[in-house]
Amino acid sequence: MSFDTKRIVDSWHSRALAYNELIARWPLFTQMADQLIDVLPDDFSGQLLDLGGGSGLLSERLLLRHPKTLVTLIEPSNNMLELAKQRLRNTANFINATAEQLQDLHLKVDAVLCNAAFHLMDEELVLPAIARALNSGGLCAFNLWGHSFDETANRENIVDWLSFVERATQEQGETLATHSPGIAPRTRSIQELKHCAIDSGLELDNYRISEHRTHARFGIEFAAMSDNFLGQFETQKRSEIIKRAIELSSGYDLRMSVDFVFRKQ
């Protein structure tokens, strides 16, 4: 399995501030984080690893409910990590590393959570590293976007948001260049995840599929995080096209996420 880790990290390094603003506007990111936190015991106060913690949303939500938890946030993007430090200040420890480098950090924790980032990781490397980091009886909970899991990949219903961008571009008397979708998602199956987990000493406890209703403008705002999106236009015109596309957008997406809970045997 080949992952272009550097390309992935670089892409989020450049989008860190825009992503931080996006997750503040769209409740589904908080909902997904809260659902992972829900799997912890009510009295949890142990050592916890926030893997691929981004700008610190999950850790912040976690500490509101479990203030005695000792949190270590691991994030490979320097820009994301700086935002996490600003958000969490002295309430967590921070490590600049990829999930795949977890195996070299020699950490021991009681739980590992990963919100909205596991689809970017190589589970064949990451799940064994998580298992080694977990104390006996510890748990690992992560989620996948619906498009990254075979049971949900064909059940999502996403509005064609690019059509609104094309209309906004035409109103400006311009022609939209071919849109590159970026890094293509890879679809996992429950069998693949269970196989990786069992070989690592983890056992699947349960998994749950959730539905999220988002306005069609979500797709536009997500794409607009990248400076390469509509990069054919100068900054002012690009901003005008994005603003107009959002005004034109209508309809709602049915997006899905899947929560997985594994326990150390």
Side-chain angles (χ1 to χ4, degrees):
M1 184 181 310
S2 176
F3 275 70
D4 190 344
T5 303
K6 184 179 185 305
R7 181 187 175 197
I8 292 171
V9 173
D10 287 349
S11 72
W12 287 105
H13 184 72
S14 63
R15 291 182 285 176
L17 184 58
Y19 179 76
N20 195 45
E21 294 171 349
L22 182 85
I23 65 176
R25 289 195 301 271
W26 291 93
L28 81 161
F29 293 95
T30 299
Q31 294 166 3
M32 290 169 65
D34 286 348
Q35 288 177 189
L36 291 182
I37 298 167
D38 286 343
V39 308
L40 297 173
D42 291 340
D43 60 350
F44 184 82
S45 61
Q47 303 244 15
L48 182 139
L49 182 62
D50 182 355
L51 190 61
S55 59
L57 173 65
L58 182 139
S59 288
E60 180 181 54
R61 302 290 297 178
L62 169 78
L63 288 166
L64 288 173
R65 292 166 59 179
H66 303 280
K68 295 182 180 180
T69 300
L70 301 176
V71 174
T72 298
L73 185 149
I74 292 183
E75 168 57 43
S77 162
N78 286 324
N79 284 353
M80 284 284 197
L81 200 61
E82 285 304 311
L83 290 170
K85 290 177 179 178
Q86 293 172 25
R87 183 196 295 264
L88 301 168
R89 300 192 181 277
N90 62 349
T91 60
N93 297 313
F94 305 93
I95 299 177
N96 183 209
T98 67
E100 289 76 11
Q101 291 170 325
L102 173 60
Q103 60 186 345
D104 302 321
L105 300 179
H106 308 294
L107 298 174
K108 296 301 291 184
V109 296
D110 302 300
V112 177
L113 301 184
C114 177
N115 184 43
F118 198 84
H119 64 292
L120 302 172
M121 301 175 186
D122 184 344
E123 65 270 18
E124 292 184 1
L125 295 177
V126 174
L127 286 176
I130 288 174
R132 285 192 290 270
L134 281 173
N135 292 320
S136 179
L139 67 84
C140 164
F142 61 84
N143 47 35
L144 286 174
W145 291 104
H147 58 65
S148 294
F149 186 53
D150 64 350
E151 293 182 24
T152 52
N154 296 320
R155 290 169 55 186
E156 292 190 312
N157 186 12
I158 309 300
V159 175
D160 180 17
W161 56 266
L162 195 57
S163 65
F164 304 120
V165 178
E166 290 172 343
R167 285 174 56 189
T169 304
Q170 291 167 1
E171 288 183 5
Q172 292 279 339
E174 302 284 356
T175 302
L176 184 65
T178 302
H179 171 64
S180 172
I183 300 171
R186 187 175 65 80
T187 303
R188 283 83 164 173
S189 70
I190 192 62
Q191 290 78 16
E192 290 171 333
L193 292 172
K194 287 174 70 174
H195 178 73
C196 288
I198 290 172
D199 286 350
S200 306
L202 297 173
E203 183 175 354
L204 179 66
D205 189 271
N206 64 80
Y207 71 100
R208 179 179 68 173
I209 296 170
S210 299
E211 296 182 351
H212 308 275
R213 189 169 181 261
T214 59
H215 192 274
R217 68 179 183 275
F218 177 83
I220 302 170
E221 292 188 13
F222 194 93
M225 289 192 297
S226 171
D227 290 337
N228 294 328
F229 179 65
L230 300 182
Q232 69 190 95
F233 303 114
E234 51 87 18
T235 302
Q236 179 66 25
K237 178 159 287 189
R238 176 182 183 273
S239 297
E240 291 172 356
I241 291 173
I242 291 171
K243 180 180 178 181
R244 180 57 179 153
I246 289 173
E247 291 172 348
L248 291 169
S249 64
S250 62
Y252 287 85
D253 304 322
L254 174 63
R255 297 180 182 270
M256 294 186 173
S257 64
V258 190
D259 299 332
F260 300 87
V261 180
F262 291 87
R263 295 189 184 275
K264 176 77 171 284
Q265 296 176 7

